[in-house]
Amino acid sequence: EIQIVTQADLISHYPQIKSDLDKLKYASAILELVLRLTLENDPHKRLFNGIERILFRIENETTEPILLFAMFFKFFLEEIGYGLVSEKCGECHKKLVDSKIISYNHDLGMMCQECSKNHLILFEFSLELFNKIVCLSQRNNQCTYTEDDLKNIITFLERFLIYHVDEFQGIKSLKIF
């Protein structure tokens, strides 16, 4: 059965995003994630609302687009079933806030400094950076991020996704600009 669109109305065309290369870069990365990692015609109201909200924020707020993208990226991973941050070590189950260095292993997830000595490590975080990752999804305005912090977080999230989704090769939009 073929459906024909006979009329459409443009609700928002995001002129600020189109006129700012940095905003365009991160808005494109958001759309790329959604297009490449979600099923067509999958009704996911919470994800749709999240996309609408983040594009509105990129368009209208003075918040750095890289921070908004990092927040969305973490939200997106959780929404598609890849939540990753735990408050406890994946091996010994101690609270991670007691460790100065937190490591990530694909099989065990986040690990304390002691347990990570015996495993292959994909990424290492300082406790401060780990707390900033946790803070991304808590809508806590007291967290402050440097551009390097955000780049490290995005790199980690991208590598995490590349490992878990075979056909995903990374976010091309971030490399083009």
Side-chain angles (χ1 to χ4, degrees), residues 81-140:
Y82 291 102
L84 62 118
V85 176
S86 172
E87 295 177 10
K88 295 182 180 179
C89 174
E91 182 155 297
C92 70
H93 306 291
K94 291 181 188 173
K95 287 190 174 192
L96 290 172
V97 293
D98 299 334
S99 183
K100 291 181 180 164
I101 300 289
I102 289 117
S103 301
Y104 178 78
N105 171 282
H106 286 305
D107 297 323
L108 296 169
M110 298 295 180
M111 294 187 305
C112 66
Q113 188 172 4
E114 191 61 35
C115 292
S116 69
K117 293 176 184 174
N118 304 321
H119 297 281
L120 181 65
I121 302 303
L122 170 71
F123 228 83
E124 276 191 348
F125 306 96
S126 65
L127 180 59
E128 179 185 9
L129 187 60
F130 175 77
N131 287 331
K132 289 179 180 187
I133 293 171
V134 172
C135 194
L136 278 175
S137 58
Q138 294 179 340
R139 299 179 189 200
N140 185 344

Side-chain angles (χ1 to χ4, degrees), residues 36-168:
R36 293 176 68 201
L37 296 167
T38 59
L39 298 173
E40 193 171 329
N41 298 322
D42 181 18
H44 197 307
K45 185 96 170 131
R46 186 169 154 81
L47 183 57
F48 176 80
N49 290 338
I51 296 164
E52 192 175 46
R53 192 173 316 121
I54 202 70
L55 291 175
F56 177 84
R57 290 186 69 186
I58 291 172
E59 173 73 15
N60 295 299
E61 291 183 12
T62 58
T63 306
E64 289 295 320
I66 189 172
L67 173 57
L68 295 173
F69 174 72
M71 291 168 60
F72 177 81
F73 199 174
K74 187 154 185 306
F75 162 79
F76 179 74
L77 287 174
E78 291 166 0
E79 286 302 309
I80 64 170
Y82 291 102
L84 62 118
V85 176
S86 172
E87 295 177 10
K88 295 182 180 179
C89 174
E91 182 155 297
C92 70
H93 306 291
K94 291 181 188 173
K95 287 190 174 192
L96 290 172
V97 293
D98 299 334
S99 183
K100 291 181 180 164
I101 300 289
I102 289 117
S103 301
Y104 178 78
N105 171 282
H106 286 305
D107 297 323
L108 296 169
M110 298 295 180
M111 294 187 305
C112 66
Q113 188 172 4
E114 191 61 35
C115 292
S116 69
K117 293 176 184 174
N118 304 321
H119 297 281
L120 181 65
I121 302 303
L122 170 71
F123 228 83
E124 276 191 348
F125 306 96
S126 65
L127 180 59
E128 179 185 9
L129 187 60
F130 175 77
N131 287 331
K132 289 179 180 187
I133 293 171
V134 172
C135 194
L136 278 175
S137 58
Q138 294 179 340
R139 299 179 189 200
N140 185 344
N141 293 334
Q142 295 177 351
C143 294
T144 58
Y145 299 88
T146 66
E147 188 170 340
D148 285 340
D149 289 340
L150 293 168
K151 285 180 180 178
N152 286 332
I153 291 168
I154 291 167
T155 299
F156 167 68
L157 295 176
E158 187 175 21
R159 286 183 186 172
F160 172 83
L161 199 51
I162 288 169
Y163 177 80
H164 288 288
V165 180
D166 291 334
E167 63 274 0
F168 184 71

Side-chain angles (χ1 to χ4, degrees), residues 20-36:
D20 182 320
L21 195 55
D22 208 34
K23 288 182 177 189
L24 184 61
K25 172 183 176 178
Y26 292 107
S28 296
I30 288 166
L31 298 177
E32 181 181 346
L33 282 172
V34 173
L35 287 171
R36 293 176 68 201

